[in-house]
Amino acid sequence: MTSVKEKASHRKGQKDFRNRAGRRRFMPVNYRGLLFDLAVFVFNVFLVRMLTRRVGGLMLQTYLQDDEQAARTFFYIITAAMAAQIVGAALKRRPLQARMAARGEKASDNFGCLLILHFALTLVTGAAILALSPLGPSGGWIVLLFFVCIVPTALVWRAMTPYGKPPAPDWRSSRAAELVADLCLFAYMLVNLAVWNTVTAGSAPRVAGVGDLFSRALGFVILSPIILLFYIPPRLLFLVEDWKYRATWISMTLAVAPVAYRFIIGTLKTDW
C-alpha cells in the first residue's frame, strides 16, 4: 500500500514539475548550459588572443618548421582534449539522467543526427592525434583510430540514454563529479575554439564597404555548419537538457557572436 502511495506521490511531483516548467518557457531549469555559454563568450572576448597565439605558434612550428618539441607538445594538448571529452561524457550520465527522470523527460530523438556531427569532430581530433603521433599514419593505426573515435560518441549517446533501472546513488551522482564532467567538457571546447581561431586567423582583413560586409555575412551563413562542428558537440550534453528554452538559444548565439564578428567585420590579429 505504501508503494502505491509513493508512486502516486512521485507521479504528482512530476506533473507539478512539468506544470512549473511549462510556465517557465524562457529560462531553463538547470543553468549549467547557460554558464557554459557564458564561459565560452568570456573566452572568445577576453582570452582568445592569448590561447590562439599559443596554439598558433605550436601549429606553425609543427607543420611549417618541423619542430619535434612543438609537435610533441601539440600532440599532448590534442590527446588531453580527447581524454577530457571521454571523462566528461562518462561522468555526465548519472546526474543528467537523474534530473531528467525527476522531471519525467528524456532526450529528444532529434539529437541522433547531432551525434553524427559529434563523431565527425572526434574523427578530426583523432586524425590530428595520429598525424602528430611518433607512430606514423600507417594503415593499421588508421583503422584503430576509427574505432577509438567511436568511444567518445558512444559515451555521449550513452549519457543521453535513460537507465532501464535507476542505479543506486554513489560518488558518480555527486555534484563534485558533475562539476568535473562540466570542466572536462569545457576544456575540450577551449581546445576546439583555439584550433578554429588559429585556422581562421589572418584569413580576412578588415571589412571594406557594404558589399564586402554582405558577402562575408553570406559566407558566414554558408560556413555555419563548420562552425557548429566545433561548438555543438562539446555542448551536446547540456543542450539535451535545455534545448526547449529560448534563453538557451540566445546564450548560444551570444557565445558564437565574437566568432561571427571576427569573421564578418575583421579577423583576429596575431603575432606568432
Side-chain angles (χ1 to χ4, degrees):
M1 189 67 178
T2 305
S3 175
V4 173
K5 289 182 178 179
E6 288 178 352
K7 290 180 180 179
S9 176
H10 180 66
R11 286 195 295 268
K12 184 177 183 299
Q14 287 184 339
K15 183 177 179 181
D16 291 342
F17 189 93
R18 286 194 294 267
N19 289 336
R20 292 195 302 271
R23 293 191 297 269
R24 192 180 184 182
R25 296 179 182 275
F26 184 74
M27 294 293 292
V29 178
N30 187 334
Y31 298 118
R32 290 177 180 273
L34 299 185
L35 291 175
F36 187 90
D37 294 332
L38 177 61
V40 171
F41 175 79
V42 170
F43 164 79
N44 265 323
V45 173
F46 299 105
L47 301 176
V48 63
R49 193 180 303 276
M50 178 185 68
L51 192 55
T52 301
R53 184 185 299 117
R54 174 60 175 162
V55 172
L58 287 174
M59 293 179 69
L60 177 67
Q61 295 168 31
T62 298
Y63 295 111
L64 298 182
Q65 300 176 6
D66 295 325
D67 188 320
E68 293 185 2
Q69 181 61 42
R72 191 176 300 112
T73 301
F74 194 44
F75 170 75
Y76 292 151
I77 291 174
I78 300 296
T79 304
M82 175 78 84
Q85 177 189 201
I86 291 173
V87 172
L91 291 179
K92 192 71 176 175
R93 187 186 188 194
R94 285 206 179 199
L96 172 63
Q97 290 302 326
R99 282 194 301 273
M100 296 187 73
R103 299 196 294 265
E105 297 178 353
K106 62 179 182 179
S108 171
D109 295 335
N110 298 328
F111 287 99
C113 61
L114 294 181
L115 288 174
I116 300 175
L117 199 64
H118 188 282
F119 182 60
L121 179 58
T122 305
L123 278 178
V124 172
T125 306
I129 292 175
L130 186 61
L132 295 167
S133 171
L135 299 174
S138 63
W141 287 112
I142 292 175
V143 174
L144 179 62
L145 167 71
F146 178 83
F147 287 103
V148 169
C149 287
I150 295 175
V151 174
T153 303
L155 286 172
V156 170
W157 170 81
R158 182 172 175 268
M160 295 165 54
T161 305
Y163 287 99
K165 179 181 179 182
D170 60 15
W171 65 271
R172 288 170 292 181
S173 306
S174 66
R175 291 183 178 181
E178 188 170 19
L179 177 61
V180 171
D182 293 346
L183 291 176
C184 285
L185 293 173
F186 183 68
Y188 176 55
M189 168 66 81
L190 284 187
V191 174
N192 288 337
L193 287 177
V195 171
W196 165 260
N197 281 302
T198 299
V199 171
T200 58
S203 60
R206 200 72 176 176
V207 66
V210 177
D212 190 21
L213 179 66
F214 178 78
S215 63
R216 290 191 189 187
L218 181 60
F220 180 80
V221 172
I222 295 173
L223 289 176
S224 291
I226 299 176
I227 297 171
L228 292 177
L229 176 66
F230 284 86
Y231 183 63
I232 291 294
R235 202 198 185 282
L236 189 55
L237 290 180
F238 301 94
L239 189 62
V240 71
E241 188 174 8
D242 62 11
W243 65 272
K244 64 181 67 174
Y245 300 97
R246 285 177 289 177
T248 296
W249 300 101
I250 293 174
S251 69
M252 290 176 63
T253 301
L254 180 66
V256 299
V259 177
Y261 177 86
R262 287 193 293 268
F263 187 91
I264 298 172
I265 303 301
T267 192
L268 180 70
K269 291 183 179 180
T270 56
D271 51 355
W272 303 340

